[in-house]
Each structure stands twice: as C-alpha cells, then as structure tokens.
C-alpha cells in the first residue's frame, strides 16, 4: 500500500475517535508535522477533514456522504440471506423476511420448513398487518403519530378466531410490540401456527425489515416457539450489523 495513502487512512481512523491537533497526528504517525499538514490540506480540499478555530481537525462532510451511500447500497435481502438460511437450518422451521412498502408488509424472502409443512406465504405478496408477526413489527416501527391512521384503514379480515378485529385492540398490540421489542402471531393468521417476529435495523437504527419464524402447533407449542426468540433475535441482529447497526451499550 502507498505510504501516503496508509497515513491518510490512519488519520481518518484517528479522527473517527476524536478531534486531533496537528501535533497529535504527527506524533501518532511518527512523522514531521509538515508531512501531516500536506496530507491534511489535500484531504481538506476534498472535504474529508476540516478544522476548527483552534486548528483541531475533525472528519469532514464527505465522509458522511460516503457512509450514507455505502449504507444505501447494502441490499437487505442479499445481506440477510445467509443468516436466514442458517436460522432455517438450525431450527428446521419456516423463516420469513419482510419490509414495509407503500403501507404494506411485503415478504421479500422465505425459507420453507425442512419438514413437509408449508405456509401460505409467498415472496412478493403482502402479509396482513393485523395478524402477522412481521406486519406488527413493521407497523410498530412507524412513527406513533401514524399508528391510528394505519389501524383505522385496515379491514381486519378474520382469518381465525384469534385474529385481532378492531383498531383499538390493534393499537394495544402495537404498544406491546414496541415495549417488548418483538411481535407474536399466536394462531391469528393460520390456525395451529405460531409465529414470532423481530426487527432488522440499519446504521441509523431505523427498522428496515422484519425476520420471523413460523411453526405449526403439532411441531412446537406456543411456549416452545417463544423459547426460540433469542435465536431469531440473534439472526436479526446479525443482519442489522451487516447494515451498519451497532446496539446501544446498556447503562
């Protein structure tokens, strides 16, 4: 690697930690200040770095532009596939990936159960918002100011006797999902099928997709499906990490 390029990259990594003076950067690189200054002037001309009135250098706006473009170019379906496949292999159950598009939750990927049981869902089709785990996760991630409008436009088709049937009940469910960080479909969409769903986040923390696992009651009961939540959550977190998300450190 070019020595100048390596030094420039080292400067960027250092500024990613905190602001630095010319003297500090020269000391970190082990070179004369004039060498570092030439690099900084070149980088500043392209907006990769900037400096304040005390001549302390910080990252420039070009870095943020590139970071945003890099995140936008990372396709959630492509990045998620290996993690969904691994989750499918580990559990043997049906795994879905869905996104929220134009007011609908759309399945964008699916791994069928290793057993012979097949779910009704299909890639490219919408998932009912009121009775699927992915639908609830994706709606709960929308601004709270939009919840009521979404809840009141749904038709609340009754798929089973457990299906949510009113906007008020649905709003209560969204509150629960937002609080606990995951959603359930407890035989609400298909009889004798339980499902859990968790959010996938991008680098800004925005929920961009939902991962779910669906299991017929004959294979695992409700409590057994809930016991798989950490495994499903770990898969969603791994996808989120690929999209640039870093979970907040516990206080």
């Amino acid at each position: 690697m070019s020595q100048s390029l390596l030094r420039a990259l080292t400067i960027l990594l250092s500024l990613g930690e905190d602001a630095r003076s010319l003297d500090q950067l020269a000391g970190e690189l082990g070179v004369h200040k004039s060498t570092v200054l030439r690099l900084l002037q070149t980088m500043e001309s392209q907006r990769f770095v900037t400096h304040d009135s005390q001549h302390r250098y910080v990252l420039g706006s070009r870095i943020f532009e590139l970071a945003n473009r890099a995140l936008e170019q990372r396709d959630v379906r492509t990045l998620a596939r290996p993690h969904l496949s691994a989750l499918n292999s580990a559990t043997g159950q049906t795994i879905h990936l869905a996104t929220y598009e134009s007011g609908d939750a759309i399945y964008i990927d699916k791994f069928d159960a290793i057993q012979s049981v097949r779910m009704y869902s299909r890639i490219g089709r919408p998932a009912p918002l009121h009775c699927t785990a992915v639908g609830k996760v994706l709606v709960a991630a929308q601004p709270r100011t939009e919840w009521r409008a979404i809840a009141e436009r749904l038709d609340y088709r009754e798929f089973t006797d457990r299906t949510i049937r009113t906007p008020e009940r649905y709003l209560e469910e969204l509150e629960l999902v937002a609080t606990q960080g995951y959603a359930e479909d407890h035989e609400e969409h298909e009889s004798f099928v339980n499902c859990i769903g968790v959010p996938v986040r991008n680098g800004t923390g925005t929920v961009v997709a939902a991962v779910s696992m669906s299991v017929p009651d004959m294979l695992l009961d409700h409590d057994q499906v809930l016991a798989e939540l950490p495994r499903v959550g770990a898969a969603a977190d791994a996808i989120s990490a690929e999209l640039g998300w870093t979970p907040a450190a516990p206080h």
Side-chain angles (χ1 to χ4, degrees):
M1 184 184 291
S2 160
Q3 191 173 52
S4 294
L5 176 58
L6 179 59
R7 286 170 177 166
L9 293 174
T10 302
I11 288 172
L12 292 176
L13 291 172
S14 179
L15 297 182
E17 296 175 1
D18 200 1
R20 297 281 196 272
S21 68
L22 179 60
D23 287 340
Q24 287 175 315
L25 290 170
E28 290 178 10
L29 290 172
V31 296
H32 194 273
K33 287 192 293 186
S34 62
T35 301
V36 179
L37 183 60
R38 283 195 299 272
L39 287 172
L40 288 168
Q41 289 172 334
T42 300
M43 294 162 73
E44 190 163 19
S45 71
Q46 298 298 313
R47 295 189 290 111
F48 283 99
V49 303
T50 187
H51 68 274
D52 60 20
S53 57
Q54 281 76 46
H55 288 277
R56 289 175 59 79
Y57 288 85
V58 296
L59 294 177
S61 60
R62 180 63 60 82
I63 291 291
F64 305 116
E65 291 175 14
L66 291 176
N68 285 332
R69 289 176 188 171
L71 290 174
E72 289 169 0
Q73 291 168 1
R74 297 177 75 79
D75 174 63
V76 63
R77 185 177 187 271
T78 301
L79 293 174
R81 250 195 157 239
H83 301 288
L84 301 179
S85 178
L87 182 60
N88 172 250
S89 297
T91 63
Q93 308 304 336
T94 301
I95 307 299
H96 294 107
L97 181 70
T99 56
Y100 193 71
E101 301 173 18
S102 302
D104 287 315
I106 305 295
Y107 292 117
I108 62 171
D109 211 348
K110 177 186 180 183
F111 285 80
D112 280 313
I114 294 171
Q115 295 88 349
S116 60
V117 178
R118 293 290 182 265
M119 305 288 122
Y120 292 144
S121 54
R122 295 287 184 275
I123 295 174
R125 289 187 181 177
L129 298 181
H130 66 298
C131 61
T132 61
V134 292
K136 294 174 186 178
V137 166
L138 293 169
V139 174
Q142 303 308 304
R144 285 177 178 266
T145 53
E146 297 178 14
W147 283 7
R148 180 164 290 279
I150 295 172
E152 290 180 350
R153 72 171 170 79
L154 300 182
D155 63 8
Y156 296 98
R157 177 181 170 188
E158 188 177 335
F159 290 91
T160 76
D161 60 5
R162 289 181 177 268
T163 304
I164 291 173
R165 301 170 196 172
T166 67
E168 294 306 321
R169 176 66 189 86
Y170 187 55
L171 289 169
E172 291 175 3
E173 185 78 355
L174 294 179
E175 288 285 358
L176 178 63
V177 172
T179 299
Q180 65 189 13
Y182 68 92
E184 289 187 66
D185 159 11
H186 186 8
E187 300 183 43
E188 298 167 46
H189 187 213
E190 298 180 49
S191 296
F192 310 113
V193 174
N194 290 296
C195 181
I196 48 176
V198 293
V200 172
R201 302 178 185 275
N202 65 12
T204 67
T206 301
V207 174
V208 294
V211 173
S212 71
M213 183 182 78
S214 302
V215 190
D217 214 16
M218 69 183 76
L219 298 177
L220 297 176
D221 63 26
H222 177 247
D223 289 341
Q224 290 172 316
V225 173
L226 277 180
E228 293 293 325
L229 186 60
R231 190 178 294 189
V232 179
D237 286 351
I239 300 166
S240 299
E242 297 243 28
L243 290 168
W245 179 69
T246 302
H251 295 289

